[in-house]
């Protein structure tokens, strides 16, 4: 086939001057198909936008609509380390420096000067009390004031006097908190039936108790005395509920400081800490749901 005829074939397909067609269609045909797709994709966009708007109408700005995948609450601690193991040497400051730095950084938000604004914080007492009602969760009438929690309540684990948080003396501190869950009200245990005998003395009104003990039977007697610093050694109810970041931006969780004062030296000890409450549960697949365990080893050689 001649070369000129080939060129004329595809050129004529792109633009046919005899019929006024561009790519096989006239201007009217292109206008019709363009109008069709404009309407078609416009309808698709409208359905998409309408669906998103309908979904947004079901959402609240103040509370997660669906919390079925949240297992309240998690129990976490500071400092945290890889595989939940804390090992240090009394004669080597560098070995426990990461732990003391983590405690210092975490407790910085609990400094008294950061809780001095009376429009954002209020005193809720140093004794356990009932829930603090601050209005409805879905109300947009201003932000809610938060209860002050002075780090001085943590005693020797506050870092105010002892900047090593007991690590240098072989009496390390661990800070424990309940994770934030919007509108969650932890309920203290109603009876001692599900609480270990050694922990029953910690049950009292208006506080959710925390208790730590050896995780393994072979560690019995190696944990020694555990001191609990904070408000009644647990989580007082007046700090609940939490209203979320929008209404409660300055909220501070109550803390409990654990100080292990007499751990067996040069031996790894596995400790489990649990919080006890009527609506606090545990799950084998989630080791932080209402509890955690940690391995401690203090070397002095």
């Amino acid at each position: 086939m001649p070369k000129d005829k080939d060129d004329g074939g595809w050129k004529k397909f792109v633009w046919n001057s005899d019929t006024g067609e561009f790519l096989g269609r006239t201007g009217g045909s292109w206008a019709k198909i363009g109008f069709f797709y404009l309407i078609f994709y416009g309808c698709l966009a409208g359905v998409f936008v309408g669906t998103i708007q309908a979904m947004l109408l079901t959402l609240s700005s103040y509370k997660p609509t669906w919390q079925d995948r949240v297992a309240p609450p998690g129990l976490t601690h500071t400092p945290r380390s890889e595989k939940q193991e804390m090992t240090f040497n009394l004669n080597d400051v560098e070995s426990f420096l990461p732990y003391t730095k983590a405690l210092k950084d975490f407790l910085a938000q609990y400094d008294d000067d950061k809780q001095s604004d009376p429009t954002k914080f209020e005193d809720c007492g140093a004794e356990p009390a009932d829930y603090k009602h601050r209005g409805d969760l879905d109300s947009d009438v201003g932000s809610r004031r938060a209860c002050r929690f002075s780090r001085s309540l943590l005693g020797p684990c506050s870092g105010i006097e002892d900047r090593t948080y007991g690590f240098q003396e072989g009496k390390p501190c661990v800070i424990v908190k309940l994770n934030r869950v919007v509108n969650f009200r932890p309920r203290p245990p109603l009876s001692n039936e599900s609480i270990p005998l050694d922990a029953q003395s910690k049950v009292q009104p208006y506080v959710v108790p925390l208790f730590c003990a050896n995780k393994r039977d072979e560690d019995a007697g190696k944990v020694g005395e555990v001191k609990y610093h904070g408000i009644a050694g647990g989580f007082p109810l007046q700090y609940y509920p939490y209203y979320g970041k929008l209404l409660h931006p300055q909220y501070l969780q109550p803390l409990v400081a654990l100080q292990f004062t007499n751990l067996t030296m040069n031996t790894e000890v596995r400790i489990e800490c649990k919080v006890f409450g009527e609506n606090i549960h545990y799950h084998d697949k989630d080791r932080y749901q209402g509890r955690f365990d940690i391995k401690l080893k203090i070397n002095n050689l």
Side-chain angles (χ1 to χ4, degrees), residues 248-268:
H248 232 165
Q250 64 282 340
Y251 176 79
L252 293 174
Q253 294 133 293
L255 305 176
V256 178
L258 307 173
Q259 187 170 29
F260 302 96
T261 61
N262 193 26
L263 282 170
T264 300
M265 297 289 179
N266 307 307
T267 302
E268 182 183 88

Side-chain angles (χ1 to χ4, degrees), residues 70-293:
V70 179
L75 188 70
T76 56
H77 62 88
T78 302
R80 297 184 66 174
S81 57
E82 187 177 356
K83 298 181 180 180
Q84 307 309 312
E85 298 178 359
M86 291 176 55
T87 302
F88 63 96
N89 194 311
L90 294 180
N91 303 315
D92 182 8
V93 175
E94 295 293 328
S95 67
F96 56 79
L97 187 60
Y99 304 136
T100 57
K101 183 180 185 303
L103 287 166
K104 177 183 177 182
D105 294 342
F106 174 74
L107 290 175
Q109 60 186 317
Y110 286 84
D111 288 340
D112 290 341
D113 59 349
K114 294 183 179 179
Q115 305 177 59
S116 59
D117 189 342
T119 64
K120 296 180 179 180
F121 295 93
E122 61 179 319
D123 289 323
C124 297
E127 297 295 328
D130 206 351
Y131 304 112
K132 195 81 172 178
H133 183 67
R134 296 177 175 85
D136 296 331
L137 183 65
D138 57 354
S139 172
D140 59 356
V141 184
S143 61
R144 309 298 193 263
R145 291 196 299 170
C147 285
R148 292 186 177 93
F149 190 93
S150 175
R151 59 190 297 177
S152 62
L153 292 169
L154 303 179
C157 294
S158 66
I160 297 175
E161 296 181 1
D162 181 7
R163 299 299 177 90
T164 68
Y165 300 91
F167 280 82
Q168 197 164 32
E169 297 180 359
K171 301 178 180 180
C173 293
V174 174
I175 306 298
V176 183
K177 65 176 181 178
L178 279 174
N179 288 346
R180 301 178 184 183
V181 178
V182 175
N183 206 35
F184 177 70
R185 290 171 169 82
R187 297 196 301 269
L190 296 178
S191 67
N192 291 335
E193 294 180 1
S194 60
I195 301 177
L197 183 62
D198 293 340
Q200 292 180 6
S201 61
K202 296 177 65 62
V203 177
Q204 57 181 297
Y206 306 127
V207 65
V208 179
L210 175 70
F211 182 72
C212 301
N214 53 289
K215 174 73 172 179
R216 305 174 298 192
D217 292 338
E218 57 265 34
D219 289 334
K222 298 179 182 179
V223 177
E225 182 185 13
V226 182
K227 292 186 177 180
Y228 302 82
H229 302 284
I231 298 179
F235 303 101
L237 301 187
Q238 66 261 41
Y239 285 82
Y240 302 93
Y242 167 53
Y243 283 79
K245 290 184 178 180
L246 189 61
L247 294 178
H248 232 165
Q250 64 282 340
Y251 176 79
L252 293 174
Q253 294 133 293
L255 305 176
V256 178
L258 307 173
Q259 187 170 29
F260 302 96
T261 61
N262 193 26
L263 282 170
T264 300
M265 297 289 179
N266 307 307
T267 302
E268 182 183 88
V269 182
R270 189 170 181 179
I271 302 168
E272 182 181 58
C273 297
K274 300 176 71 173
V275 63
F276 298 94
E278 287 297 306
N279 55 349
I280 297 176
H281 309 287
Y282 319 104
H283 198 286
D284 292 338
K285 294 183 179 180
D286 187 352
R287 59 182 179 180
Y288 289 106
Q289 185 175 329
R291 62 182 175 183
F292 69 84
D293 62 82

Side-chain angles (χ1 to χ4, degrees), residues 25-41:
R25 290 182 179 274
T26 63
S29 178
W30 278 115
K32 290 178 182 178
I33 197 171
F35 182 71
F36 168 79
Y37 280 109
L38 179 65
I39 298 298
F40 177 72
Y41 286 112

